Amino acid sequence: MSYRKITVDNVEYEYVVGKTHVKVKGVGSWQKSEVGYVIDENEVRVQPMHVAEKIRQTV
């Protein structure tokens, strides 16, 4: 997987959504269930707006 870019409050970040975690360069790494929403026990959806919200909470 490659890093994607997202701009939050005029600052550009790079993030990647893996199988179990979401990582934002220079900010942190979280389990997908902490960032997105749970569909069932085997599937968690993470959208860019979820990543932006987590960055705002952290920074």
Side-chain angles (χ1 to χ4, degrees):
M1 277 187 210
S2 63
Y3 279 89
R4 301 177 201 159
K5 293 183 180 183
I6 188 169
T7 302
V8 179
D9 299 331
N10 296 324
V11 178
E12 191 173 272
Y13 298 94
E14 291 184 335
Y15 73 98
V16 66
V17 178
K19 194 171 200 174
T20 60
H21 286 75
V22 177
K23 180 181 178 185
V24 180
K25 277 189 181 179
V27 179
S29 178
W30 307 274
Q31 288 188 348
K32 284 174 67 172
S33 60
E34 293 178 46
V35 179
Y37 58 95
V38 178
I39 302 292
D40 59 33
E41 65 272 354
N42 296 322
E43 186 176 359
V44 178
R45 293 279 168 95
V46 177
Q47 297 177 339
M49 68 179 192
H50 298 132
V51 176
E53 183 179 316
K54 192 66 173 177
I55 291 170
R56 284 188 183 105
Q57 290 174 359
T58 306
V59 176

